[in-house]
Amino acid sequence: MSARDDILARIHAANTGIAAPPVPRDYRRTGTHAPGDAELLELFTDRLVDYKATVVPCTPATLAATLADICRDWTVVVPAGSASSVPGAVVDDGLSYAQLDALDAVLTGCAAACAETGTIALDAGPDQGRRAVTLIPDRHICVVRADQVVHTVPELLARLDPTRPLTFISGPSATSDIELHRVEGVHGPRTLIVVLVTLSGGLRRRA
Amino acid sequence: MSQTFLGMPHAPAGVGHLHGDRPFPDAARDALANTQLRRNLGHATATIRAKRASVVGELDDWEELRLAGEALKAYTMAHLDRLLPQLEAAVTARGGVVHWARDATEANQIVVDLVRATGTDEVVKVKSMATAEIGLNEALAAAGIAAVETDLAELIVQLGHDEPSHILVPAIHRNRAEIREIFLREMPGVDPELTDEPRRLAMAARAHLRAKFLTTKVAISGANFGIAETGTITVVESEGNGRMCLTLPDTLITVMGIEKVVPTWTDLEVFLQLLPRSSTGERMNPYTSTWTGVTPGDGPQTFHLVLVDNGRTAVLADPAGRSALHCIRCSACLNVCPVYERAGGHAYGSVYPGPIGAVLTPQLTGAATSLPYASSLCGACFDACPVRIDIPSMLVHLRSTQPHPATERAAFEAVAWTMASAGRFRLGERLLRLGRLIARRGRIRRLPPPLSAWTDTRDLPAPPQQTFRDWWSAR
């Protein structure tokens, strides 16, 4: 008998006479705020700042200038299908890991974001690129549109396609391994800057 | 236990890290004498308890999430023989290769063969309880393959030639000064001016591992969740070492216990809320990666998933113990346990310490052990468990399956005989009053052997002058 058949037979025997009750789903599956709602964006900003990300608000009209200002001292890589760019940016056309490691920052969009946990989800879409591009450079500048921000984790997962490689990012890389004391910045990007694009641009810059 | 479930093999002895070499009371006695260890543990567990309480308090649907998590796990275990083949089919359809291992020995052999086939002699590893359980690093070393642990705490343990002592933070027993010492001694090329500031220590680890991440061809990970519906594997982490291992190498080998399967993508919404808040006390951990088979042009182009039993089906076969498999390895039960806080993780002799380890380890190994007694049955672990595992009841259940000392058995048989008759009970009560003769200031401090086994570690109150029955009849 193969290991597979053996294990499945063991499970079958162990489960004889076992029935599971139905799963109650009385937890919140939708938030109290619609995606992009102003209060939701405040919550999202609070959560990001709490985990040591920087949040820079802007409008569609000021986006390009805002990005250029943030990146003025850095050599930035952008994915091939990026909607945003900055002067002097390098387009990722299959750069080696060593080449990516030599760049200062990466500029991407995102697939969706969750306000309650301050989470940004990347799905390797055209404006986010392959995973290595958002991992190796030490700074990640991520453009989030207001309508991409949902309230709860269930709403976030519902927006994502699990067959794509996904990365959920909640603040910069961190560790709690030394005396359970939180330190930001280990192996992943040590700086996370979220550029939040709203129609009004009414939020304050926070860090 | 063993008679009822004959034919359901346990985790074998002699491989992996489930079978401790000392009984818990002996190991705990030594640990309790180590004041540095107790200070480190007391500080760390108090810190994490406060953080967890604060973020759990933010969610007004926490109990509903726990109930959903508990029911989802029960559903998963009841349908495991359907969900695992579903997971296998989904992973295979997306270009992954699925392997099955009955026990630690088979799992290690599969991984060693897979690594050998790539021609490399070094792998990077994401922290994984499953690979620690089966002793994969030792098996790789025996095959001439170096395994580099990349999680900061695992690195501290590995460089310190030490054993992990906590599920989430394996180096919880070390403080910053000790970690600095280990880095200065063991980390090649480390800055000799290194201080014990946590940020500086983390940066030293970053510099140490950076080149490894960018050049190593094979990575080995565990899995927090494997979604049957889609074949999606999930790793939850903080530092980005996980992302590095899951993204940059050519080949990824994931070792997953068969109980880690989750039925659907939607079900992940429950566990992604329960796990980070329970484990690190964060609303969400910094990084969660999910991948489904192989994605052309992005990440490892060869993916192997090794599904491991290693005693899990033996746990499943015990109706009163099977919910130990519901554990999502958050470690909240360790952090609230008064026994763990004082004795530390090494005393349990297993990669699974603390309350969940005291129930899971004896069930996986099937060996006689004192672990179910490593608890005061205070119930804090049940309150903290995000999937509502009733650990205290299981401890009581497991105590009944363990062999008891002859004296204890004789004593309880005598009690049962006495209490079976009203006359004998009355006589027994009168005899107990004799105990007043050896009491001093209301306490009995020492009884003669074999009863000294009780009074060696605690006092007995002196029996009262008047029993309740005497009082009642004289009323």
Side-chain angles (χ1 to χ4, degrees):
Chain A
M1 222 164 155
S2 71
R4 178 186 191 275
D5 294 345
D6 240 355
I7 293 170
L8 290 174
R10 290 177 192 171
I11 294 169
H12 191 74
N15 274 339
T16 307
I18 297 287
V23 177
R25 299 208 188 249
D26 302 324
Y27 57 89
R28 284 174 311 137
R29 304 200 62 210
T30 49
T32 44
H33 301 287
D37 175 278
E39 266 185 71
L40 203 56
L41 299 180
E42 285 288 355
L43 179 66
F44 182 49
T45 305
D46 275 347
R47 296 307 194 226
L48 283 166
V49 170
D50 193 29
Y51 285 151
K52 307 290 187 277
T54 301
V55 181
V56 183
C58 69
T59 66
T62 60
L63 174 62
T66 303
L67 291 176
D69 183 45
I70 292 170
C71 302
R72 63 184 177 277
D73 297 328
W74 299 330
T75 310
V76 173
V77 58
V78 294
S82 181
S84 311
S85 193
V86 289
V90 178
V91 176
D92 173 41
D93 53 2
L95 298 171
S96 70
Y97 297 158
Q99 286 171 312
L100 286 170
D101 198 30
L103 295 166
D104 297 314
V106 56
L107 167 64
T108 71
C110 75
C114 170
E116 189 162 73
T117 56
T119 304
I120 292 163
L122 307 179
D123 71 355
D127 63 339
Q128 299 147 55
R130 61 194 169 118
R131 285 172 287 170
V133 176
T134 40
L135 175 59
I136 297 176
D138 200 13
R139 302 174 186 88
H140 185 185
I141 300 118
C142 187
V143 178
V144 181
R145 294 193 322 269
D147 64 355
Q148 291 181 307
V149 183
V150 297
H151 192 169
T152 64
V153 171
E155 291 167 286
L156 176 69
L157 291 194
R159 284 199 171 201
L160 298 167
D161 174 0
T163 62
R164 302 186 65 86
L166 301 175
T167 307
F168 299 79
I169 298 174
S170 306
S173 140
T175 183
S176 301
D177 281 352
I178 301 167
E179 300 176 12
L180 283 165
H181 174 92
R182 197 174 197 273
V183 177
E184 283 79 20
V186 195
H187 302 294
R190 286 181 288 187
T191 302
L192 175 65
I193 301 173
V194 175
V195 178
L196 189 53
V197 188
T198 63
L199 289 178
S200 65
L203 294 160
R204 283 175 303 123
R205 182 188 170 110
R206 307 257 308 266
Chain B
M1 190 163 70
S2 58
Q3 259 138 44
T4 322
F5 310 117
L6 216 62
M8 218 64 95
H10 291 94
V15 54
H17 299 278
L18 287 173
H19 297 260
D21 46 10
R22 299 174 71 196
F24 179 84
D26 293 354
R29 197 169 292 120
D30 289 353
L32 288 171
N34 183 341
T35 50
Q36 180 68 65
L37 174 75
R38 290 183 63 179
R39 225 182 348 255
N40 294 354
L41 277 171
H43 171 71
T45 51
T47 305
I48 193 71
R49 283 199 299 269
K51 283 166 79 174
R52 177 191 166 275
S54 146
V55 294
V56 163
E58 281 179 6
L59 291 187
D60 52 17
D61 61 343
W62 184 250
E63 201 50 34
E64 286 75 17
L65 283 166
R66 287 180 79 211
L67 287 163
E70 177 187 28
L72 270 169
K73 282 294 180 182
Y75 175 91
T76 302
M77 297 314 144
H79 296 94
L80 212 49
D81 55 353
R82 175 173 60 77
L83 294 170
L84 286 168
Q86 191 188 1
L87 174 72
E88 177 188 40
V91 169
T92 308
R94 300 269 310 177
V97 183
V98 178
H99 311 258
W100 300 70
R102 294 181 186 89
D103 58 29
T105 312
E106 280 190 3
N108 288 334
Q109 191 59 52
I110 291 169
V111 177
V112 165
D113 290 345
L114 288 171
V115 175
R116 275 200 176 130
T118 67
T120 187
D121 60 0
E122 185 174 76
V123 299
V124 282
K125 277 191 75 205
V126 191
K127 177 176 137 42
S128 137
M129 294 309 299
T131 61
E133 172 193 320
I134 63 176
L136 180 61
N137 288 6
E138 290 80 357
L140 288 168
I145 300 160
V148 179
E149 291 290 353
T150 63
D151 169 74
L152 178 54
E154 289 284 7
L155 182 69
I156 295 164
V157 167
Q158 192 174 45
L159 291 176
H161 311 288
D162 199 357
E163 297 288 336
S165 71
H166 189 274
I167 290 174
L168 174 75
V169 195
I172 196 171
H173 57 290
R174 298 288 195 186
N175 66 23
R176 60 186 73 188
E178 294 170 288
I179 295 166
R180 172 177 173 270
E181 293 289 318
I182 292 169
F183 280 12
L184 286 176
R185 199 172 62 233
E186 302 282 344
M187 198 179 261
V190 73
D191 175 7
E193 304 292 307
L194 184 69
T195 68
D196 67 0
E197 191 198 335
R199 177 172 304 279
R200 292 283 303 274
L201 295 169
M203 286 313 101
R206 178 185 169 99
H208 174 65
L209 288 173
R210 191 78 182 174
K212 287 255 186 282
F213 286 134
L214 300 184
T215 55
T216 307
K217 298 298 177 199
V218 179
I220 295 174
S221 85
N224 290 98
F225 310 104
I227 295 154
E229 176 192 31
T230 57
T232 307
I233 309 297
T234 307
V235 165
V236 170
E237 52 127 359
S238 294
E239 296 167 12
N241 64 307
R243 290 177 71 190
M244 293 279 176
C245 293
L246 302 171
T247 307
L248 302 184
D250 301 333
T251 299
L252 172 61
I253 302 166
T254 297
V255 179
M256 174 177 140
I258 54 171
E259 84 284 18
K260 292 277 177 177
V261 67
V262 169
T264 70
W265 172 250
T266 303
D267 296 331
L268 195 61
E269 70 191 20
V270 175
F271 298 114
L272 278 190
Q273 296 191 74
L274 289 173
L275 180 54
R277 287 180 203 256
S278 300
S279 59
T280 49
E282 293 168 308
R283 297 182 190 101
M284 190 64 86
N285 50 291
Y287 298 135
T288 297
S289 296
T290 77
W291 71 97
T292 306
V294 170
T295 304
D298 189 343
Q301 295 301 296
T302 305
F303 171 55
H304 295 277
L305 178 64
V306 184
L307 299 171
V308 183
D309 180 345
N310 204 37
R312 284 160 177 76
T313 46
V315 185
L316 199 67
D318 180 358
R322 59 191 273 144
S323 63
L325 294 176
H326 295 186
C327 175
I328 57 173
R329 311 282 188 260
C330 72
S331 70
C333 65
L334 278 61
N335 301 330
V336 299
C337 177
V339 176
Y340 176 86
E341 182 177 350
R342 287 161 182 81
H346 291 155
Y348 294 78
S350 160
V351 289
Y352 304 116
I356 187 62
V359 295
L360 191 56
T361 302
Q363 294 198 85
L364 286 171
T365 60
T369 168
S370 52
L371 281 179
Y373 291 90
S375 166
S376 63
L377 300 180
C378 74
C381 48
F382 173 62
D383 291 339
C385 179
V387 292
R388 294 172 44 90
I389 301 173
D390 186 355
I391 297 174
S393 296
M394 283 163 64
L395 286 166
V396 173
H397 160 68
L398 288 172
R399 287 179 186 188
S400 73
T401 69
Q402 298 297 326
H404 293 265
T407 320
E408 187 188 317
R409 267 206 323 272
F412 277 95
E413 273 160 22
V415 169
W417 180 80
T418 309
M419 291 177 89
S421 128
R424 289 200 291 261
F425 188 71
R426 204 172 304 127
L427 184 64
E429 277 188 331
R430 290 210 194 106
L431 288 174
L432 269 185
R433 231 175 292 170
L434 291 173
R436 294 180 64 78
L437 295 175
I438 52 168
R440 296 282 173 277
R441 284 192 226 101
R443 319 286 299 172
I444 298 172
R445 299 195 193 280
R446 194 173 306 152
L447 285 169
L451 299 172
S452 56
W454 179 271
T455 50
D456 276 352
T457 47
R458 54 260 229 224
D459 292 349
L460 269 177
Q465 191 137 35
Q466 189 183 32
T467 67
F468 176 78
R469 288 170 180 239
D470 293 343
W471 171 80
W472 184 260
S473 52
R475 192 174 55 105

